[in-house]
Amino acid sequence: MAGKAALAGLVNSSSDRHSLFDDAQGLVAGSMLAVLGVSLLSSAGLLAGGTAGMAFLMHYATGWSFGLCFFAVNLPFYYLAFRRLGPAFTVKTFVAIALTSVLSEIAPRFIGLSHVDPVAGALFGGLVIGAGMLALFRHRASLGGIGILALYIQDRFGWRAGFVQLGFDGLVLALSFFVASPFIIASSVLGAVVLNLTLAINHRKDRYIAM
């Protein structure tokens, strides 16, 4: 009986709480969508905002793999996540970042994109990454860095996480002038706008309450 009760706790969710299975599915799905979106941006030669943008800049400047750069730039933000958003959020975010980093290394072996127009890459890539981050946010996780800070600011001050992240994304993309052409930067800004509008419109605490 105890075993059945424990199993029920793993798979049974309620209207206001996710089960462990729900969270696992959300983390995997969100990470996979993020990797697909990053693949679209990368194949179009675009950049991104937030820590993904910082990882892209490091990747283009050093030649290191995106997955390694993405994992590394997120390390300083775990302290903020633990102190401000709790251990459960921190653990789930660490898992999501690790999954995204690993999958971004594996995905090119199975998904080859020979040509992606920069504007199309911005539109589709921004939307897909936004959907992935939305899935993670709804399971109380993020892709780290600016996402952690944006969620904290939303919880603390009520500012929309999407708009907060858009401001930080603009700063990161401004630094892209050192490594990309104006057209690529303009297309990257378009992708950031699509991504963050997806979050701002769809992620509201008063519309989605499950934890």
Side-chain angles (χ1 to χ4, degrees):
M1 293 294 293
K4 290 183 178 180
L7 180 60
L10 293 177
V11 299
N12 291 339
S13 58
S14 64
S15 60
D16 62 350
R17 185 163 298 276
H18 291 294
S19 68
L20 183 61
F21 177 80
D22 290 342
D23 281 338
Q25 180 274 333
L27 295 183
V28 172
S31 299
M32 290 177 69
L33 286 170
V35 169
L36 179 58
V38 166
S39 297
L40 288 167
L41 294 183
S42 180
S43 296
L46 302 180
L47 298 126
T51 48
M54 295 164 63
F56 266 126
L57 289 175
M58 186 182 297
H59 165 65
Y60 290 140
T62 65
W64 297 349
S65 69
F66 172 82
L68 175 61
C69 294
F70 183 67
F71 187 82
V73 299
N74 277 292
L75 291 176
F77 292 93
Y78 290 121
Y79 177 75
L80 174 64
F82 182 79
R83 287 296 302 271
R84 298 295 186 180
L85 297 168
F89 179 92
T90 304
V91 170
K92 286 189 283 189
T93 294
F94 180 86
V95 171
I97 292 171
L99 275 173
T100 302
S101 299
V102 171
L103 288 173
S104 67
E105 296 296 308
I106 297 173
R109 304 176 188 176
F110 305 99
I111 302 174
L113 300 172
S114 59
H115 173 70
V116 178
D117 177 81
V119 174
L123 293 173
F124 285 92
L127 180 61
V128 173
I129 295 174
M133 293 181 67
L134 187 63
L136 295 174
F137 283 2
R138 288 185 171 181
H139 289 270
R140 297 298 294 169
S142 80
L143 286 179
I146 305 305
I148 293 173
L149 187 59
L151 280 179
Y152 166 70
I153 291 175
Q154 175 171 285
D155 290 344
R156 180 68 176 81
F157 301 105
W159 300 355
R160 295 281 189 87
F163 291 137
V164 172
Q165 184 154 312
L166 182 59
F168 285 105
D169 286 353
L171 178 61
V172 172
L173 289 171
L175 299 175
S176 303
F177 279 95
F178 295 103
V179 297
S181 68
F183 175 68
I184 290 298
I185 293 172
S187 298
S188 299
V189 169
L190 174 62
V193 170
V194 171
L195 188 162
N196 288 291
L197 281 178
T198 301
L199 295 179
I201 293 171
N202 292 284
H203 184 64
R204 287 179 50 171
K205 291 177 65 178
D206 56 341
R207 287 181 178 168
Y208 194 86
I209 61 173
M211 300 292 288

